[in-house]
């Protein structure tokens, strides 16, 4: 259940963030283009190589930092577990 409130106190910043793995680099680029147009792209996509992969930071509506990524080792671990 989600809780609605009139005030949000963001505590997640780039060092403490929510992360979402994307299905492809192209899909992530599309999301980053949309975020750029909306003015919420905090950090342009970067390819940091293995094991970090391709990533970018966005600001989500409540002010938290959201990390989009593709190719991170954690994604491969989750896929192997299913």
């Amino acid at each position: 259940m989600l809780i609605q409130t009139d005030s949000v106190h963001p505590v997640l910043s780039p060092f403490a963030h929510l992360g979402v793995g994307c299905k492809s680099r192209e899909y992530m680029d599309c999301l980053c283009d949309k975020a750029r147009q909306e003015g919420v792209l905090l950090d342009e996509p970067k390819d940091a190589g293995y094991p970090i992969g391709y990533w970018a930071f966005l600001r989500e509506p409540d002010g938290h930092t959201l990390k989009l990524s593709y190719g991170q080792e954690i994604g491969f671990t989750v896929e192997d577990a299913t």
Side-chain angles (χ1 to χ4, degrees):
M1 173 186 281
L2 297 177
I3 299 171
Q4 292 190 0
T5 181
D6 292 332
S7 115
V8 175
H9 303 284
V11 294
L12 297 177
S13 65
F15 295 109
H17 58 268
L18 302 172
V20 176
C22 296
K23 62 184 177 183
S24 71
R25 187 174 174 135
E26 293 78 18
Y27 182 67
M28 191 179 132
D29 284 338
C30 179
L31 294 175
C32 287
D33 287 342
K34 290 178 183 180
R36 192 178 297 106
Q37 291 170 7
E38 294 291 323
V40 297
L41 185 64
L42 296 177
D43 213 344
E44 289 288 334
K46 294 175 182 53
D47 192 339
Y50 179 84
I52 297 167
Y54 190 58
W55 60 275
F57 283 130
L58 316 175
R59 179 156 332 278
E60 61 94 32
D62 288 331
H64 299 294
T65 300
L66 177 69
K67 179 181 182 183
L68 297 180
S69 66
Y70 172 73
Q72 286 193 343
E73 186 174 316
I74 188 69
F76 301 127
T77 303
V78 171
E79 286 175 9
D80 291 341
T82 58

